[in-house]
Amino acid sequence: FIEFLSIFCTLMILSSLPAMMYGTPFKQLLQNDYVLWYILYWLIVTCIICLITAWQKKKTFSKPLTKLRTASKAVASGDFSVYIEPIHSLDKRDYMDAMFEDFNHMVKELGSIETLKNDFISNVSHEIKTPLSIIQNYSALLKKDTLCQEEREAYLTIIMNATKKLTNLVSNILKLNKLENQEILSPSSSYDLCRQLSDCLLTFEYELERKHIEVHMDIEDKAMVKTEEDLMQIVWNNLFSNAIKFMEPGGSIYIKQQSEDDSILVEVRDTGCGMTEETLQHIFDKFYQGDTSHSQEGNGLGLALAYRIMEKTGGTISVTSKVKEGTSFFVRIPKDE
C-alpha cells in the first residue's frame, strides 16, 4: 500500500506540472473541466501502473520467496526430499533461478550428510553390539563351577579378543574424528621410509609365519620423506593387516618402493582373493566391508582412516584389484626436499 501511495503521489505531482507551469491558481484549476478530466486521466493511468507493478512484484518476488520459505520450513522439519522447480527455462534463468538451484544443491548435500550420519550410527551400533554380546555371554559362562581349566582359558581368550576389537573400533573412530577436525596433525619431520616399512612388517611376523605367507621386498637402502611418521605407520599397518587377513595360507605379499622426481611411490600387492568393482568403489568409505558376512575380523575403518591420513598429509592412496588375482595399493608420498 505504501509503494502504491508513493507512486500515485509521484504521478499526480508530475501530471500537475504542466498546469503549474502557467501559474494557474489551484482553485481555478478545479473549476476547469479540462483540468478535471486531465487529473482523472492520470488517476486512471496511475492505478493501472500501480496494479501492473504490484502484479509484477508478486510474480517476480513474492511468489518465489513464498515457495522458498515453504521449502525451507520443510527442510528444517527434516524433509530432505524437497526440490524447487526453476521458474524459467535454462536459457532465460535469472538470479531467482540461481537461488533455487543453490537451495536444491544445499538440500541434496544435507540429505547426504543425514544419510551418512544415520549409516554411521547404525554401523557403530552394530560393531559395538557384537563384541559386547560376546563379552556378556562368555562372562556369564565363566561363572559356572563345572568349567574345566581349558574351557575357562578358551572363554577368557574369546573375551580378550572381543575387548581388543572393541578397543580398536573406539580408537579408530576417535582417530578419524580428530583427523577430520585436523586436531592431531603434528609438525612434519624427516625420516627414513624404508626403515619404517621394514619395522612395520616385522610386527606381523607371527601372522606371516602362521599362514606361511612369503614376503618379497624391493626397496631402496634409504628414502627420506617429510611427513607425520606416526600417521604413516597407521597406513602401513592397515595395508599389511588387510593383505594378510584376506589371503589364503601359502600366498605372497610384494612390497615395492621407488623414488620419483618429487615423490616416493610404495606398492603393496598381495595374491589374495581380490575385490569386485562394486567393492572398489566403496573401499575407502567408513564401515564399508566387502565381506558382508563380517566373518573376517575388522570394522571397516582401517582403509577409511588410511585415506583420510593421506589426504591430510598431502599424499595419495589408490587401489586396483581383480577377483581371485589379488589387490595392489599404491601410496604416493611427497619427497623430503
Side-chain angles (χ1 to χ4, degrees):
F1 174 76
I2 295 175
E3 292 181 5
F4 176 86
L5 187 61
S6 61
I7 295 173
F8 176 77
C9 293
T10 302
L11 291 176
M12 285 299 296
I13 292 172
L14 291 175
S15 65
S16 303
L17 285 178
M20 293 179 181
M21 288 176 63
Y22 292 99
T24 309
F26 182 73
K27 188 175 180 180
Q28 293 181 8
L29 285 173
L30 294 177
Q31 294 175 353
N32 192 327
D33 291 341
Y34 171 78
V35 173
L36 289 175
W37 282 107
Y38 182 79
I39 294 173
L40 180 62
Y41 165 78
W42 276 106
L43 178 64
I44 295 172
V45 170
T46 302
C47 291
I48 293 173
I49 292 175
C50 288
L51 288 173
I52 293 174
T53 302
W55 176 79
Q56 189 68 25
K57 179 186 174 184
K58 182 179 179 181
K59 178 184 176 183
T60 308
F61 299 104
S62 299
K63 229 174 154 186
L65 289 176
T66 301
K67 188 186 294 186
L68 185 62
R69 183 187 176 196
T70 303
S72 299
K73 285 184 176 180
V75 173
S77 64
D79 182 8
F80 297 104
S81 62
V82 176
Y83 178 81
I84 306 180
E85 290 285 345
I87 302 172
H88 306 98
S89 59
L90 191 60
D91 57 332
K92 295 181 181 179
R93 289 196 170 184
D94 56 11
Y95 63 92
M96 194 63 71
D97 294 303
M99 188 184 298
F100 284 178
E101 187 176 347
D102 291 341
F103 177 84
N104 291 333
H105 181 70
M106 178 195 71
V107 173
K108 184 179 178 181
E109 290 297 320
L110 287 174
S112 300
I113 293 171
E114 184 70 14
T115 301
L116 286 174
K117 185 189 77 172
N118 292 336
D119 289 344
F120 180 82
I121 293 172
S122 175
N123 288 321
V124 168
S125 301
H126 173 81
E127 295 294 339
I128 290 179
K129 184 179 178 181
T130 302
L132 284 179
S133 298
I134 292 173
I135 293 170
Q136 182 179 6
N137 293 335
Y138 282 93
S139 296
L141 289 174
L142 284 173
K143 284 182 159 185
K144 292 184 178 180
D145 298 329
T146 57
L147 287 178
C148 65
Q149 187 62 28
E150 290 183 0
E151 289 177 325
R152 192 176 300 277
E153 289 180 0
Y155 293 166
L156 285 172
T157 301
I158 293 172
I159 291 174
M160 288 177 65
N161 289 336
T163 305
K164 182 179 177 182
K165 182 176 181 180
L166 191 59
T167 302
N168 289 337
L169 171 65
V170 174
S171 177
N172 282 337
I173 291 174
L174 291 175
K175 287 175 184 175
L176 268 174
N177 182 60
K178 289 180 180 178
L179 265 178
E180 291 175 349
N181 291 301
Q182 296 183 343
E183 292 178 6
I184 64 173
L185 291 184
S186 56
S188 300
S189 58
S190 298
Y191 69 93
D192 184 6
L193 177 64
C194 299
R195 177 188 55 78
Q196 186 183 50
L197 288 171
S198 300
D199 291 345
C200 286
L201 192 61
L202 283 174
T203 61
F204 294 94
E205 185 176 4
Y206 172 76
E207 288 85 353
L208 292 169
E209 290 181 356
R210 183 175 59 86
K211 298 186 73 171
H212 306 288
I213 296 173
E214 292 186 2
V215 177
H216 305 271
M217 294 191 74
D218 180 12
I219 63 176
E220 299 172 313
D221 293 334
K222 190 175 185 180
M224 299 301 292
V225 293
K226 189 174 183 179
T227 185
E228 287 72 17
E229 186 173 359
D230 292 340
L231 294 182
M232 288 308 303
Q233 186 171 342
I234 296 173
V235 175
W236 306 130
N237 285 340
N238 277 301
L239 293 184
F240 296 158
S241 174
N242 280 346
I244 296 170
K245 185 194 309 180
F246 295 103
M247 193 185 305
E248 295 295 327
S252 299
I253 295 176
Y254 298 86
I255 302 171
K256 183 179 180 180
Q257 172 268 323
Q258 60 184 18
S259 296
E260 299 181 350
D261 293 338
D262 57 352
S263 62
I264 293 177
L265 180 65
V266 178
E267 178 185 359
V268 179
R269 180 167 62 90
D270 64 64
T271 58
C273 59
M275 293 180 282
T276 63
E277 288 295 327
E278 182 183 357
T279 301
L280 283 174
Q281 293 176 4
H282 302 280
I283 195 64
F284 296 115
D285 293 349
K286 296 176 186 176
F287 291 104
Y288 183 81
Q289 291 178 285
D291 177 22
T292 54
S293 67
H294 294 265
S295 60
Q296 296 285 355
E297 181 184 354
N299 46 52
L301 284 176
L303 290 177
L305 183 57
Y307 186 81
R308 299 305 188 279
I309 288 173
M310 298 312 300
E311 274 188 331
K312 298 297 182 182
T313 56
T316 60
I317 181 171
S318 57
V319 58
T320 60
S321 183
K322 287 186 179 180
V323 178
K324 297 181 180 180
E325 292 186 18
T327 302
S328 295
F329 283 92
F330 300 90
V331 178
R332 191 177 297 276
I333 309 166
K335 252 185 183 179
D336 181 17
E337 300 296 339

